[in-house]
Amino acid sequence: MAKALICCLVAVFFGIAYGEDGIGRGTLRFVQNDQTSSSYSTGIVQVYVGGSWGGICSNNDFGQTEANVICHQFGYSAAASYSTVGNLDRYGSIDVITISNAQCFNNDYQVLFQCNFIHSNETECDVENAVIVECMSTRVWDDPFSGQIRLQRGEFSSEGLVEIYCNDRWGTVCDDLFNQNSADTVCNQLGYTDAIDITSEIQGNTSQPIWLTNTNCGSVYSCLTSCTSCPSSDEQVLTCSHQEDVNVHCAYESTSSQFGGTLTTCDFTDLAEAIAQLIAIIVGVVIAFFVIVAICIILPICICCCLGVGIGAAAAAKA
């Protein structure tokens, strides 16, 4: 209760816009015939901004990259297709469009609000041009990296149980000493800018490990592993129960100094492989150098020795 009150006060202080029901600015949802569900992977895309839900206009800027980013925000790897209400009447219609001219410059963005867009409650875009997106079935965490984070079982993809991938298993985070900076870091790693609420309403499965505790970040980082780290072995936190599992609600605030991470910001797997390859190359070069030096030094000595023996034998024979 105290954590929720502190988060609300911090949110008000920094001017973070979220609704009375705690929905974060920039949250997305799929709508199918006036119905919405966190299990949908396709439908009319609506975004929460300015305290209400609205559609996204499909204009000249909207394309595959923008559709991919939308699917990333829902946790999917990419968009299988995109269309409009006017071209595909399978999902009904909506009342208003509030976002237009969405343009993403990086295919690895995780949140639509990382892209350029125009927000207006009175756009000239007809609702027939509201965007429909169908996401692929593959998830952005199907091939996880150590330290990857995801939010699970929330009403929207911007909120839920915090899970972190350590030691080849998804586990949870204990709320002991978990502070606002830590919550903001979680949201930042997922592409948002701020955490507007910290709760423990959704609990992990009893079979899941609790990987982290006493996560007290001194500032807001791009990756949670910048202020804590996965245990070096399969050592789980035993001082916490799943009743203390951290949940966060994330938002994307336009006035924030944070931008939000991309899909690859915290994936250091390729960097580690590159470093290993570089070390292997350096070791190979050093070994080759010493082999060449050895050849350059030893070979002339051998030649001289052989010549000396030959000259000595010839002189002895002549004598």
Side-chain angles (χ1 to χ4, degrees), residues 24-25 40 49 78 80 91 95 143 162 167 197 199 206 220 251 259 263 267 271 280-281 296:
R25 181 181 185 273
Y40 289 167
V49 59
Y91 303 117
D95 296 327
D143 184 20
V162 178
N167 300 309
D197 201 2
T199 71
T206 54
V220 180
F259 180 75
L263 289 174
D267 185 358
L271 178 61
I281 292 172
C296 292

Side-chain angles (χ1 to χ4, degrees), residues 146-147 164-167 211-212 225 228-233:
S146 181
I164 184 168
Y165 190 76
C166 297
N167 300 309
W211 285 132
L212 302 179
T225 51
T228 187
S229 59
C230 288
S232 56
S233 62

Side-chain angles (χ1 to χ4, degrees), residues 233-255:
S233 62
D234 199 22
E235 182 180 350
Q236 303 174 26
V237 175
L238 301 177
T239 56
C240 285
S241 70
H242 282 297
Q243 293 179 339
E244 301 171 88
D245 284 343
V246 170
N247 294 206
V248 298
H249 293 226
C250 298
Y252 200 97
E253 175 55 39
S254 59
T255 59

Side-chain angles (χ1 to χ4, degrees), residues 61-112:
D61 293 325
F62 195 91
Q64 185 65 44
T65 299
E66 289 70 34
N68 286 343
V69 173
I70 286 173
C71 288
H72 293 164
Q73 189 166 342
F74 284 106
Y76 296 97
S77 60
S81 64
Y82 61 93
S83 186
T84 63
V85 169
N87 292 326
L88 188 66
D89 60 0
R90 184 186 309 165
Y91 303 117
S93 187
I94 56 174
D95 296 327
V96 63
I97 288 180
T98 54
I99 296 295
S100 61
N101 298 96
Q103 188 175 19
C104 304
F105 297 105
N106 190 332
N107 196 55
D108 284 338
Y109 286 162
Q110 299 184 89
V111 174
L112 183 64

